[in-house]
Amino acid sequence: MFKYFPTNYVWNLSVNLSIEMGARMGEIEEMCAPLQDAAKAPDAAGTQAFRETWIKMADKLVSLADEDEARGRSISAGDKLIRAANYMLTAERLLAHGSEGRMALYKRFLAAFERGLALSGSACRRVEIPYEGKHLSALYVPAEGVEGRQPLLVQVNGLDSTKEMKLLVGLPIWLAKRGIASLIVDQPGTGEALRLQGLTARFDSEHWASRVVDWLETQDFVDPRRIGMEGVSLGGYYCPRAVAFEPRFACGVVWGANHDWRDVQKKRLAKEGNFPVPHYWSHVMWVWGAKDMDDFMQIAEKVHLNGVLDRIHVPFLVTHGEKDSQIPLQWAHATYDQLVNSPKRELKIFDERTGGVQHSSFDNSANAGAYIADWVAEVLGGKTATA
């Protein structure tokens, strides 16, 4: 893990995630160098300082992108806009729910990201899936070199990630090269679903996952027999739960097992383990639509996989970082051990040799992501070699 701030895990996590999304080290230095003192300040004051330096860099990149576009250099403009969106998202992610300007920053991030995709010539496109009289937004990335209907991996967020973050980290691109399409979804409790649609998280993830499969089955670019699902971080709970109760999924993958999230919350109340975001308790109450801490802890009691995983009868890959400081390694073993009816179950622990030892491999997404992409390609009928 790259530790720019010696005493601030949450900020270091954010910096590492931004790097995995394509940040440039010179820009990281310019944004973070003024923040050493602020990194030791209380959440509100420190987060405001973080926001100011990161948005300043994003503003500069947007300005440079405008200059590129004016000269007809749309590829360069798109690349800069996507990097600006990365920095906007990183700043927005650290703000408390209801912070002044947070919603405006999120909307600005979405606009910059979409414009960046268009100018850079990305094959990725935004789609909307009907849900509860509203919609779930998602990013679709087609497989490369596949004629007709394509195998596809649905990918879902954790507690505080977004579809754009998952795209930029790289798994959909690595899958596309292996002949697998991707649908990266802002499910209830995350991204646009939470911020713009008011859709909070729910423990029965099959409720929304089944609607996603319903929609995919109406699309002529999808092979409905080869739809898998992957979840990162808290998605390590959502995904197995959904695959257990939605038999149309052909396989499942967790990038960071989250077998018993209720236990993790009890440990966090006891000050054990690291938090992923500042203002943690107000954040999780917002995500889950809880009115207070008692209500939240009652909701959390349902967020575990015990008694569920024996329903899974498809291949399943469980991955976890050996030194995950947010979710203990024991939960990866618990998930694997309970997949008793999976015809092809595998437990992969990323260690010092492989890299990816931290939570959901944010210290080295490339090696861990390649392993996942290869496994998915082998299970869903993609390819793992160029010849």
Side-chain angles (χ1 to χ4, degrees):
M1 179 176 178
F2 175 50
K3 298 179 181 178
Y4 195 101
F5 304 104
T7 61
N8 196 322
Y9 172 85
V10 174
W11 283 20
N12 286 331
L13 170 62
S14 294
V15 170
N16 277 260
L17 287 170
S18 183
I19 292 170
E20 292 300 299
M21 288 191 284
R24 308 308 301 174
M25 289 305 296
E27 291 168 356
I28 289 286
E29 173 65 16
E30 187 174 331
M31 292 184 288
C32 292
L35 295 176
Q36 290 294 352
D37 290 337
K40 303 169 188 174
D43 276 351
T47 299
Q48 182 59 33
F50 188 103
R51 170 181 174 164
E52 288 174 0
T53 65
W54 284 64
I55 296 305
K56 181 180 179 182
M57 177 59 71
D59 288 343
K60 180 167 70 173
L61 287 169
V62 170
S63 175
L64 291 170
D66 289 342
E67 293 175 14
D68 285 338
E69 189 176 10
R71 299 183 69 178
R73 297 173 176 175
S74 63
I75 296 173
S76 293
D79 290 346
K80 290 182 179 71
L81 283 168
I82 290 172
R83 211 157 66 249
N86 172 352
Y87 301 153
M88 292 179 202
L89 176 60
T90 301
E92 188 270 351
R93 179 181 168 276
L94 291 185
L95 298 175
H97 171 51
S99 294
E100 183 179 357
R102 182 176 188 177
M103 184 62 74
L105 175 57
Y106 181 72
K107 290 179 178 178
R108 187 177 174 223
F109 145 72
L110 286 178
F113 184 82
E114 189 163 345
R115 183 175 159 223
L117 286 182
L119 289 174
S120 64
S122 172
C124 175
R125 62 182 174 90
R126 185 180 184 279
V127 298
E128 294 183 354
I129 301 162
Y131 179 76
E132 299 290 277
K134 300 182 179 180
H135 68 264
L136 300 179
S137 59
L139 297 174
Y140 166 66
V141 179
E144 296 177 7
V146 178
E147 298 293 334
R149 293 182 178 269
Q150 304 178 341
L152 181 142
L153 188 69
V154 176
Q155 293 147 61
V156 299
N157 298 314
L159 177 70
D160 57 285
S161 58
T162 72
K163 63 187 182 304
E164 296 84 9
M165 182 183 294
K166 285 182 66 60
L167 175 72
L168 293 180
V169 166
L171 181 59
I173 307 305
W174 304 326
L175 286 167
K177 292 181 178 179
R178 292 164 172 81
I180 309 294
S182 292
L183 186 76
I184 316 112
V185 183
D186 276 346
Q187 79 268 19
T190 69
E192 289 187 49
L194 179 64
R195 291 163 177 82
L196 303 183
Q197 301 285 318
L199 294 168
T200 54
R202 49 189 302 159
F203 82 95
D204 53 345
S205 53
E206 67 275 11
H207 185 273
W208 48 261
S210 292
R211 310 294 178 83
V212 172
V213 178
D214 289 344
W215 181 84
L216 284 170
E217 288 188 333
T218 69
Q219 307 302 306
D220 58 11
F221 55 82
V222 180
D223 181 346
R225 299 165 303 170
R226 293 189 290 166
I227 300 172
M229 188 178 198
E230 176 267 349
V232 66
S233 190
L234 185 52
Y237 163 79
Y238 293 130
C239 171
R241 166 86 196 198
V243 174
F245 287 93
E246 176 43 81
R248 289 176 292 176
F249 283 116
C251 69
V253 181
V254 296
W255 197 343
N258 224 318
H259 188 87
D260 195 334
W261 199 65
R262 61 179 175 175
D263 181 78
V264 172
Q265 303 322 296
K266 293 172 183 176
K267 295 292 198 321
R268 285 175 177 170
L269 278 174
K271 310 297 184 184
E272 296 180 28
N274 287 316
F275 290 166
V277 290
H279 327 284
Y280 178 76
W281 296 111
S282 63
H283 181 77
V284 292
M285 286 189 280
W286 172 44
V287 167
W288 289 91
K291 60 181 183 289
D292 54 32
M293 272 297 291
D294 288 341
D295 188 31
F296 167 70
M297 292 305 292
Q298 288 179 14
I299 293 170
E301 278 295 321
K302 300 178 181 178
V303 189
H304 67 88
L305 294 170
N306 292 326
V308 167
L309 299 181
D310 61 345
R311 299 173 62 102
I312 294 177
H313 293 266
V314 295
F316 209 102
L317 172 64
V318 180
T319 77
H320 208 83
E322 187 176 53
K323 296 184 177 180
D324 189 322
S325 57
Q326 291 185 46
I327 307 297
L329 179 58
Q330 74 185 77
W331 297 125
H333 290 282
T335 295
Y336 175 79
D337 289 343
Q338 292 182 25
L339 288 165
V340 292
N341 291 317
S342 169
K344 176 183 171 68
R345 62 174 175 167
E346 181 178 343
L347 174 63
K348 176 63 177 179
I349 307 301
F350 298 117
D351 57 21
E352 292 286 358
R353 180 172 178 270
T354 61
V357 300
Q358 282 292 335
H359 180 62
S360 297
S361 304
F362 68 76
D363 58 305
N364 189 337
S365 299
N367 287 358
Y371 191 94
I372 290 170
D374 285 335
W375 187 91
V376 171
E378 290 167 353
V379 169
L380 292 183
K383 63 181 182 180
T384 58
T386 55

